[in-house]
């Protein structure tokens, strides 16, 4: 009888121990993997094309991180940057289309809000921190 009680106690401890560990692992990985969703639209005004992607950014992370993640997950999205010593990465090309000094084209970074207003970001992709659910435009245009 005593042996049976001991055995069932050990079994209960083992099962709850395992369960607790699983719950803990789930909680920890859940917290660590928690990224904020954002939308990214690649807009080319000259070709009249728009492509919207859903991606995610680490909480408090920069747009460049979300773009790198998207590039890894979706083969239809790619981009290149050129490092500037003062302002960090300058977005040179998106999906094979590059800005050119000669014709005054560049990729502008714009944020659109649900109320219909929009703003041109005051920093580049390496510094801009998207808010959760924000809609960001990479807009190929002229200066
Ligand atoms: C002209 C200019 C541009 C031109 C540059 C092209 C050209 N051929 O002239 C254009 C229109 C392309 C441009 C774009 C942007 N710009 Co600008 N730009 C300037 C400006 C007014 C002068 C730069 C300059 O000619 N310096 C003199 C030359 C001799 O020095 P330079 O080192 O060779 O200059 C180069 C860099 O400044 C670079 N550059 C220009 N803007 C930016 C922005 C970033 C993020 C980077 C990495 C590099 C970069 O292009 C210049 C020419 O090659 C400065 C403000 C200022 N008064 O300095 C803002 C400035 C540098 N830009 C700024 C910004 C925010 C942008 C954009 C991100 C705006 C946007 N939301 O789209 C984009 C860049 C987007 C991208 N593709 O990555 C900010 C950078 C602030 C920051 N901490 O990141 C500044 C300081 C203006 C501000 N808001 O205060 N820009």
């Amino acid at each position: 009888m005593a042996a049976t009680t001991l055995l069932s106690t050990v079994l209960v401890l083992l099962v709850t121990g395992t369960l607790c560990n699983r719950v803990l692992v789930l909680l920890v990985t859940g917290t660590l993997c928690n990224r904020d969703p954002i939308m990214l639209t690649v807009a080319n005004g000259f070709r009249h094309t728009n492509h919207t992607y859903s991606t995610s950014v680490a909480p408090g992370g920069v747009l460049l991180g979300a773009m790198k993640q998207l590039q890894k997950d979706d083969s239809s999205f790619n981009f290149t940057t050129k490092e500037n010593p003062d302002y960090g990465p300058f977005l040179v090309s998106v999906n094979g289309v590059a800005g050119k000094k000669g014709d005054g084209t560049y990729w502008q970074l714009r944020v659109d809000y649900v109320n219909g207003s929009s703003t041109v970001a005051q920093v580049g992709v390496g510094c801009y921190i998207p808010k959760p659910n924000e809609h960001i435009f990479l807009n190929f245009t002229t200066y």
Side-chain angles (χ1 to χ4, degrees):
M1 184 64 183
T4 320
T5 315
L6 186 67
L7 192 65
S8 46
T9 311
V10 169
L11 268 176
V12 166
L13 282 175
L14 276 177
V15 169
T16 49
T18 314
L19 279 179
C20 284
N21 280 346
R22 288 223 175 115
V23 169
L24 198 67
V25 167
L26 280 175
L27 279 174
V28 170
T29 50
T31 313
L32 290 179
C33 299
N34 194 14
R35 292 173 69 89
D36 293 325
I38 60 165
M39 284 211 294
L40 188 67
T41 294
V42 176
N44 187 332
F46 305 106
R47 292 187 187 166
H48 305 287
T49 55
N50 260 13
H51 192 134
T52 299
Y53 302 88
S54 295
T55 183
S56 63
V57 66
V62 295
L63 177 61
L64 185 67
M67 290 167 67
K68 282 183 177 171
Q69 179 74 44
L70 180 61
Q71 182 165 245
K72 227 176 3 174
D73 295 343
D74 187 334
S75 60
S76 76
F77 177 77
N78 59 79
F79 70 98
T80 61
T81 58
K82 189 180 171 208
E83 201 62 22
N84 178 280
D86 297 310
Y87 305 114
F90 182 85
L91 186 59
V92 175
S93 75
V94 181
N95 294 347
V97 178
K100 281 197 200 92
K101 242 184 191 171
D103 51 21
T105 51
Y106 79 112
W107 284 97
Q108 181 192 56
L109 176 54
R110 206 183 74 203
V111 185
D112 277 26
Y113 300 105
V114 271
N115 66 7
S117 68
S118 73
T119 185
V120 174
Q122 288 305 300
V123 290
V125 291
C127 294
Y128 186 75
I129 298 175
K131 292 178 190 63
N133 301 307
E134 205 160 59
H135 192 172
I136 293 156
F137 278 74
L138 303 178
N139 187 30
F140 193 60
T141 185
T142 49
Y143 52 85

